[in-house]
Amino acid sequence: MRFVHLSLLTLCLCLMVVVSGCNNSSDDNTTPATNQLPDAFSKFVNDSEVTLDGDFVVIKAKGIPNHGSPYYERNNSLYEAYNGTNVNYMQNPNVISEQNYTFRIPLNPAEASRKEATGFGAIGVAINGVAIFNQFAAPGDDLSQEINTFDQYNGHPTSSGTYHYHIEPLYLTNNNQDGLVGFLLDGFPIYGPMENGKTITNADLDAYHGHSHATTDYPSGIYHYHITTESPYINGDGYFGTAGTVTQ
Ligand SMILES: [Zn+2]
Ligand SMILES: [Zn+2]
């Protein structure tokens, strides 16, 4: 009898070790704090400049696309007449102009205890230095109407020439559906609409439009946003973390 009890006890202890081992690995879904620039930031292109300043990553960017657009001046080498698929395309009267962005985003992003809504203007930056705006149009406008002014890569400029994406930046995702697209101001990365061969839908994501697990750039796991083809497209109810700042 004593022998049986001991074996049972041993079995129970083993099970506990296995179960707690599983728990540990699922809780440990965040990249450890660092004081170095994560490799993911080396993916910035188009003359974007990325440096480290204490607890912040500083991204200086020009905010102009590295792809063709009918919103470039006609004498610009990147001028490209509209050749997208939207039969209701209607160009707005604005023209792309260079910006002087400085984004300061947390080096070690963390979940905010109080989530803040995103505002009008840049809420993040794509890896080509173009601003990311939220799912809402300029005050007084309706994004479902504004969508008809998006060029063949899904961007358009404001009246002050600020080019931006509200939805999937097609130039960045066309050949890289599951790649890094950029960062929101809270320092959390944004990924494309696919993952492990599967298209991500809103149902796969939380209210902020993200979830946590390992990615190629963050093998220890990180919270990240995903782009989907349906509203709210990039971000949902606001920043998951605490937003940094942007000046223009
Ligand atoms: Zn817009
Ligand atoms: Zn994911």
Side-chain angles (χ1 to χ4, degrees):
M1 271 313 265
R2 185 173 294 166
F3 176 72
V4 170
H5 279 150
L6 266 178
S7 322
L8 273 174
L9 186 67
T10 313
L11 183 65
C12 285
L13 280 173
C14 287
L15 277 172
M16 280 167 74
V17 167
V18 169
V19 168
S20 69
C22 287
N23 279 343
N24 281 345
S25 61
S26 62
D27 285 343
D28 192 20
N29 215 353
T30 47
T31 293
T34 178
N35 56 7
Q36 294 188 341
L37 201 56
D39 287 344
F41 288 95
S42 66
K43 296 191 173 173
F44 273 86
V45 295
N46 202 18
D47 293 333
S48 307
E49 215 180 89
V50 187
T51 54
L52 200 55
D53 180 15
D55 292 334
F56 287 88
V57 177
V58 180
I59 302 157
K60 290 187 186 289
K62 293 181 178 169
I64 53 176
N66 56 345
H67 54 70
S69 173
Y71 288 107
Y72 270 118
E73 300 270 16
R74 278 177 188 265
N75 62 3
N76 190 301
S77 59
L78 284 172
Y79 173 83
E80 184 181 296
Y82 184 74
N83 56 16
T85 55
N86 181 2
V87 293
N88 297 316
Y89 175 70
M90 210 174 68
Q91 188 151 339
N92 77 24
N94 310 329
V95 173
I96 296 170
S97 66
E98 196 169 302
Q99 309 296 316
N100 186 17
Y101 282 117
T102 302
F103 296 89
R104 287 175 63 85
I105 67 173
L107 172 64
N108 293 299
E111 181 174 6
S113 48
R114 263 193 62 177
K115 309 287 192 293
E116 302 275 346
T118 59
F120 181 66
I123 67 164
V125 57
I127 54 171
N128 61 350
V130 167
I132 290 170
F133 278 29
N134 69 15
Q135 67 273 39
F136 306 111
D141 291 345
D142 177 359
L143 193 64
S144 63
Q145 293 297 311
E146 262 197 21
I147 275 179
N148 291 329
T149 70
F150 293 171
D151 66 19
Q152 51 270 46
Y153 299 107
N154 274 344
H156 70 170
T158 64
S159 54
S160 61
T162 302
Y163 188 82
H164 57 279
Y165 308 115
H166 295 266
I167 68 175
E168 181 176 353
L170 293 174
Y171 182 79
L172 301 178
T173 58
N174 267 346
N175 296 313
N176 196 11
Q177 289 269 295
D178 55 1
L180 180 75
V181 170
F183 290 83
L184 284 197
L185 289 182
D186 62 3
F188 285 116
I190 308 160
Y191 282 89
M194 290 200 65
E195 199 158 64
N196 304 322
K198 176 179 173 277
T199 299
I200 298 286
T201 68
N202 290 347
D204 298 310
L205 307 171
D206 66 15
Y208 308 95
H209 224 238
H211 61 186
S212 291
H213 60 77
T215 70
T216 316
D217 307 291
Y218 297 91
S220 307
I222 192 164
Y223 183 86
H224 55 279
Y225 302 99
H226 274 285
I227 293 170
T228 60
T229 55
E230 56 201 336
S231 180
Y233 308 107
I234 299 177
N235 175 255
D237 289 353
Y239 299 108
F240 183 74
T242 304
T245 58
V246 53
T247 58
Q248 188 174 349

